[in-house]
Amino acid sequence: MNQQLLSRLAGALTSGQVRVIDLTNTLSPEFPVIVLPPEFGQCMTFRMEEVSRYNENGPAWYWNNISMNEHTGTHFDAPAHWVTGKDLPSNTVDAIPAQNFVAPVVVIDISTESAADADFVVTREFLENWEEKNGPIPLRHWIALRTDWYKRVGTPEYLNLQEDGAHSPGPDAGAVEFMVHERDCLGLAVETVGTDAGQAFHFNPPLPAHSILHGNNRFGLQCLTNLDKLPTFGAIIVACPLKIEGGSGSPLRVIALVDGEDA
């Protein structure tokens, strides 16, 4: 039965019945990273240094040395990333069961609200109203918040830093509690630089997405692109972080498998 199932998937991939959508931003020195208040340590941007490129340092090969923070570019947050998840079992990227890296996703479109208000907050009430119109959020899915924020990449509006900090949409504590405890989400996926809203330092409790998600052994995906190319239901996300020993997160290539008619 399993061989037949995988054979059908292979056939659907080769025939185009299942399409692959890239959800990953290009990793480069220009891609911005989250900026914390100045009293805290800062995330390193991506750096690349040529070792050789068909020259005297290596006449037949091209390669680079790279360095970056674990949470640079499109990246994965493991539970160990946050203090609430520090004592959980299998809480680092090398220890998370690989089964969790392939999972279905439900896409919640908040792009209109985010365009009207960069500080738009997703609440439990908003999610319940969304379910009334679209159907229930299935269990054990990634929940992806489509903001179309990826279209701001390359402009100052992506981080959207102002005198009082960053301004970007995200969930409040009630919404995250609903996702985790009532919809048993695998994690939260966003196009912004963090799973929390830009002003979530001032929420009560502060930074609820990080605190609640990781304290309940759930994951985060940040800096995604192309969520507008996914259907509301029915896509599969493949998100495999680097297997860094004791890693709190990792840059990664995120793809989605979708019905060819939806792509």
Side-chain angles (χ1 to χ4, degrees):
M1 175 65 75
N2 288 338
Q3 285 184 329
Q4 292 177 357
L5 180 63
L6 292 177
S7 294
R8 291 198 298 273
L9 175 59
L13 284 165
T14 57
S15 69
Q17 289 178 287
V18 170
R19 296 280 304 281
V20 178
I21 305 296
D22 192 356
L23 303 182
T24 315
N25 278 293
T26 299
L27 192 54
S28 74
E30 290 71 40
F31 195 87
V33 297
I34 194 167
V35 177
L36 299 181
E39 63 267 26
F40 299 122
Q42 301 299 316
C43 184
M44 178 188 293
T45 57
F46 177 79
R47 299 175 185 174
M48 184 165 65
E49 177 186 51
E50 182 181 294
V51 177
S52 67
R53 190 164 187 165
Y54 329 120
N55 54 24
E56 64 277 6
N57 291 324
W61 51 91
Y62 166 52
W63 53 1
N64 302 286
N65 289 323
I66 61 174
S67 60
M68 73 202 85
N69 187 278
E70 294 170 319
H71 301 264
T72 300
T74 300
H75 64 275
F76 184 99
D77 282 0
H81 176 46
W82 213 249
V83 64
T84 53
K86 71 182 181 68
D87 295 322
L88 295 175
S90 302
N91 64 350
T92 54
V93 287
D94 56 322
I96 296 169
Q99 186 77 24
N100 290 318
F101 302 145
V102 182
V105 58
V106 55
V107 180
I108 297 175
D109 184 357
I110 60 169
S111 59
T112 299
E113 292 84 355
S114 300
D117 179 7
D119 292 314
F120 178 71
V121 175
V122 176
T123 63
R124 177 187 178 121
E125 181 182 13
F126 178 89
L127 294 175
E128 290 175 337
N129 290 336
W130 184 92
E131 287 190 323
E132 288 184 8
K133 299 174 184 176
N134 297 277
I137 297 170
L139 303 181
R140 297 305 294 168
H141 277 50
W142 282 104
I143 297 177
L145 298 180
R146 173 195 161 189
T147 57
D148 289 349
W149 214 256
Y150 80 94
K151 297 176 181 178
R152 299 175 176 227
V153 171
T155 74
E157 285 70 36
Y158 183 66
L159 291 183
N160 208 23
L161 291 172
Q162 300 178 24
E163 290 185 1
D164 58 347
H167 290 261
S168 58
D172 68 6
V176 184
E177 293 279 3
F178 178 76
M179 295 178 198
V180 169
H181 297 300
E182 300 195 37
R183 295 299 177 262
D184 195 21
C185 70
L186 185 73
L188 179 62
V190 298
E191 294 171 316
T192 49
V193 76
T195 49
D196 273 295
Q199 290 288 296
F201 275 103
H202 307 297
F203 287 9
N204 185 19
L207 303 167
H210 281 80
S211 181
I212 297 167
L213 285 170
H214 302 320
N216 286 278
N217 212 17
R218 313 305 162 102
F219 316 123
L221 284 176
Q222 286 91 180
C223 304
L224 297 178
T225 72
N226 295 328
L227 288 179
D228 55 338
K229 296 176 174 60
L230 303 188
T232 302
F233 300 102
I236 302 291
I237 280 185
V238 181
C240 301
L242 297 175
K243 199 171 184 179
I244 302 168
E245 183 177 4
S248 72
S250 164
L252 75 173
R253 187 75 175 258
V254 184
I255 61 172
L257 305 180
V258 303
D259 189 308
E261 294 182 357
D262 291 328

